[in-house]
């Protein structure tokens, strides 16, 4: 299941905390970056996946600066009796 989340309405402003490479579990190739950010209004820390992005592209943000995101995509998953939600940055007009 895919849901589009309005960042400003749900979390308020997101503050950049850092990022690291996001690797494919099987091939160990780089799929993008995992961006870590905080939501001061709701006291939450988020991990958002950015497909195809690099650490160099995320260098425009420094720790503690506000990120300009309008929306993020949340996907609910289940596997081997476990479940969770994955957040990602992507175009809202993409279809599954």
């Amino acid at each position: 299941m895919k849901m589009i989340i309005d960042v400003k309405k749900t979390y308020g402003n997101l503050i950049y905390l850092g990022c690291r490479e996001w690797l494919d579990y099987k091939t160990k190739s780089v799929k993008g970056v995992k961006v870590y950010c905080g939501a001061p209004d709701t006291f939450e820390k988020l991990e958002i996946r950015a497909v195809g992005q690099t650490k160099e592209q995320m260098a425009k943000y420094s720790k503690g600066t506000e990120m300009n995101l309008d929306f993020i995509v949340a996907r609910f998953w289940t596997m081997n009796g476990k479940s969770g939600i994955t957040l990602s940055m992507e175009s809202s007009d993409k279809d599954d």
Side-chain angles (χ1 to χ4, degrees):
M1 177 179 6
K2 175 180 169 180
M3 298 174 285
I4 307 296
I5 298 173
D6 183 320
V7 172
K8 299 289 184 202
K9 287 182 181 178
T10 306
Y11 298 107
N13 296 324
L14 294 180
I15 306 299
Y16 180 77
L17 301 174
C19 70
R20 68 177 175 93
E21 289 183 335
W22 170 32
L23 302 177
D24 183 271
Y25 180 74
K26 292 180 182 177
T27 65
K28 305 298 182 211
S29 62
V30 177
K31 294 174 78 173
V33 293
K34 289 184 179 182
V35 179
Y36 300 97
C37 52
D41 296 347
T42 59
F43 300 102
E44 295 182 73
K45 183 178 176 184
L46 305 172
E47 175 184 281
I48 304 173
R49 295 177 177 182
V51 178
Q53 296 286 318
T54 64
K55 289 176 81 174
E56 291 77 24
Q57 290 171 312
M58 298 306 295
K60 64 183 173 184
Y61 297 110
S62 59
K63 286 188 180 183
T65 59
E66 184 178 326
M67 296 185 71
N68 188 18
L69 297 176
D70 294 325
F71 65 91
I72 52 178
V73 177
R75 285 190 173 81
F76 177 75
W77 57 267
T78 58
M79 183 188 299
N80 297 329
K82 296 182 181 187
S83 59
I85 294 176
T86 301
L87 302 175
S88 61
M89 290 184 233
E90 60 183 57
S91 174
S92 62
D93 50 274
K94 279 187 180 179
D95 292 325
D96 277 347

